[in-house]
Amino acid sequence: MQRAAALVRRGCCPRTLGPWGRSQSSAAAEASAVLKVRPERSRRERILTLESMNPQVKAVEYAVRGPIVLKAGEIELELQRGIKKPFTEVIRANIGDAQAMGQQPITFLRQVMALCTYPNLLDSPSFPEDAKKRARRILQACGGNSLGSYSASQGVNCIREDVAAYITRRDGGVPADPDNIYLTTGASDGISTILKILVSGGGKSRTGVMIPIPQYPLYSAVISELDAIQVNYYLDEDNCWALNVNELRRALQQAKEHCNPKVLCIINPGNPTGQVQSRKCIEDVIHFAWEEKLFLLADEVYQDNVYSPDCKFHSFKKVLYEMGPEYSSNVELASFHSTSKGYMGECGYRGGYMEVINLHPEIKGQLVKLLSVRLCPPVSGQAAMDIVVNPPVPGEESFEQFSREKESVLGNLAKKAKLTEDMFNQVPGIHCNPLMGAMYAFPRIFIPAKAMEAAQAHKMAPDMFYCMKLLEETGICVVPGSGFGQREGTHHFRMTILPPVEKLKTVLQKVKDFHIKFLEKYA
């Protein structure tokens, strides 16, 4: 049968004889007759459909790369095809991707990464000795002296040692144990791994995870994927997005009616809100977690991004330790950091770590087992994380250049934070709280009733409608506040402050002009 079908498809020359002396045209005719006799088979139904797929995956939403970003991609393709728009480029202000926005890499970090990736360069006089020293140390800890080898599931040992030393320096001598350090594929991998091991139970005993609103959508996405219960606590917008323990208590008591809240997530400095928690606030949160027997998750990836002179980053680990052994020996805490933010902006390396303290020894074994399923995080990302926690020090050849570059990046971000806050607050119908840290603005926007009706007609949330119009009319891509969560009746958007200063001024002016026209149109 297969041979017959093949003969029909080939459409061979009639004068060519087949292996049994018949012409191929004759063989083709016979094959056609056979195929006509065979009954047609109906197409088999797909095994994987929207109805049969994992419902938890279908429930996942991630606003930072959601519908508005897909629309931005469509518009970029239209511009490439020469379709005329009222703008010449799409400005992707939706995500904190520093180098995509023009931030230059830190020279020392890239030198060490180049040496690790191509060790033949270790003989080159073009590279400083302190960079070579770090590259050799990393490579000697890798299998076969190569970044291309697997590492231990918990990460390369010497890098975990460097992370522990960094935490001790950062926290003024508070000890850190390398055995409590787990290298991860960005901070996101660590957060989802810890949540995976924490979630259990069913019905009213299902794990509840307390997250700030507004939140970084990773949290709601992982909670949906794990079929856990999201427990919202609201940051106080009228008080610069402060965290209030009374609000934590309200959310906890309300949640106990339908789930078992046992995880409390804090983002400090805040994403998308940019607030920096005071030491007193952190103490209150730790006491609350101790009192209510909650596992603390401290997302601290923006710890280098503090701009307000009145604010200072305090790590949860340091404050916990200084509150005394009653807390430091009992409160379970996982803290996260990354190569993606800060002054580094090395998002693509996907480097990160988590420090987990006061974990039950048997659970520690379970965590390592879970991590071993994915073998190990990218070793190149681990190397990048090592350079972040083990930078040049005074007296080393690269120290001055490294310090200049780091201070330049953070200084520019501080200027852009103030510029963004000031310009937004000059626009009628927009209010922006001080950008104390991180790398985003999350302004509140007034949306007229007629615009809300138009949004409803388009089956969109009002701020999604606003952001879509902003994109279509100006080419500026921002994320609607509804993707992060917000109090009922309020509307926001998140915009990164990463573009170069002159471009940022242009973006802010375009948003201002658009907003004024939007208010006039829907007045």
Side-chain angles (χ1 to χ4, degrees), residues 258-329:
H258 60 272
C259 70
N260 175 27
K262 63 180 184 183
V263 187
L264 173 58
C265 303
I266 309 289
I267 309 174
N268 179 48
N271 174 13
T273 45
Q275 85 285 4
V276 178
Q277 304 293 354
S278 69
R279 184 190 171 88
K280 174 66 166 62
C281 175
I282 293 171
E283 287 179 356
D284 291 345
V285 169
I286 290 171
H287 177 74
F288 176 77
W290 173 81
E291 189 177 49
E292 299 292 346
K293 298 182 174 61
L294 297 171
F295 194 113
L296 266 176
L297 267 57
D299 182 341
E300 298 175 336
V301 301
Y302 296 99
Q303 58 190 259
D304 289 305
N305 300 103
V306 177
Y307 314 126
S308 172
D310 301 325
C311 295
K312 181 183 176 184
F313 170 75
H314 302 276
S315 78
F316 268 75
K317 162 79 178 298
K318 182 175 191 286
V319 176
L320 176 65
Y321 183 88
E322 292 175 348
M323 287 175 71
E326 188 174 12
Y327 295 94
S328 62
S329 300

Side-chain angles (χ1 to χ4, degrees), residues 51 60 67 83 100 102 106 149 176 195 240 318 334 361 390 399 406 428 434 484 513:
E51 290 70 36
V60 168
I83 297 173
I106 297 296
S149 61
L195 285 174
C240 296
K318 182 175 191 286
N390 186 23
F399 177 72
K406 176 181 176 180
F484 299 87
D513 295 343

Side-chain angles (χ1 to χ4, degrees), residues 248-433:
L248 289 178
R249 194 162 281 116
R250 176 209 63 77
L252 180 77
Q253 294 308 318
Q254 194 172 315
K256 283 181 176 179
E257 297 173 8
H258 60 272
C259 70
N260 175 27
K262 63 180 184 183
V263 187
L264 173 58
C265 303
I266 309 289
I267 309 174
N268 179 48
N271 174 13
T273 45
Q275 85 285 4
V276 178
Q277 304 293 354
S278 69
R279 184 190 171 88
K280 174 66 166 62
C281 175
I282 293 171
E283 287 179 356
D284 291 345
V285 169
I286 290 171
H287 177 74
F288 176 77
W290 173 81
E291 189 177 49
E292 299 292 346
K293 298 182 174 61
L294 297 171
F295 194 113
L296 266 176
L297 267 57
D299 182 341
E300 298 175 336
V301 301
Y302 296 99
Q303 58 190 259
D304 289 305
N305 300 103
V306 177
Y307 314 126
S308 172
D310 301 325
C311 295
K312 181 183 176 184
F313 170 75
H314 302 276
S315 78
F316 268 75
K317 162 79 178 298
K318 182 175 191 286
V319 176
L320 176 65
Y321 183 88
E322 292 175 348
M323 287 175 71
E326 188 174 12
Y327 295 94
S328 62
S329 300
N330 292 297
V331 175
E332 292 150 286
L333 169 69
S335 310
F336 307 91
H337 195 19
S338 164
T339 62
S340 301
K341 309 304 177 185
Y343 58 89
M344 307 79 66
E346 294 287 2
C347 304
Y349 277 118
R350 308 307 301 129
Y353 74 75
M354 60 180 175
E355 181 186 26
V356 190
I357 60 172
N358 293 324
L359 205 58
H360 190 287
E362 291 178 358
I363 294 299
K364 199 167 189 175
Q366 293 295 316
L367 175 57
V368 172
K369 178 187 74 175
L370 181 60
L371 292 170
S372 70
V373 173
R374 54 92 157 116
L375 298 177
C376 68
V379 180
S380 56
Q382 296 184 50
M385 191 75 247
D386 187 73
I387 306 158
V388 172
V389 299
N390 186 23
V393 296
E396 287 190 308
E397 185 177 349
S398 301
F399 177 72
E400 288 188 13
Q401 182 181 5
F402 169 80
S403 298
R404 278 198 312 272
E405 291 176 354
K406 176 181 176 180
E407 288 165 13
S408 174
V409 170
L410 294 175
N412 279 333
L413 284 169
K415 288 174 189 172
K416 291 187 282 189
K418 191 71 173 75
L419 170 69
T420 303
E421 176 194 338
D422 290 346
M423 285 194 71
F424 273 146
N425 285 328
Q426 293 170 14
V427 185
I430 295 183
H431 173 72
C432 185
N433 272 325

Side-chain angles (χ1 to χ4, degrees), residues 47-69:
I47 293 168
L48 185 59
T49 66
L50 283 174
E51 290 70 36
S52 68
M53 73 174 285
N54 185 332
Q56 274 66 61
V57 174
K58 190 158 61 172
V60 168
E61 293 184 3
Y62 187 64
V64 173
R65 296 197 177 200
I68 197 128
V69 181

Side-chain angles (χ1 to χ4, degrees), residues 110-130:
R110 287 301 182 89
Q111 286 174 330
V112 179
M113 290 306 300
L115 291 163
C116 287
T117 305
Y118 189 58
N120 288 1
L121 293 173
L122 286 164
D123 297 325
S124 169
S126 300
F127 289 82
E129 283 304 316
D130 48 358

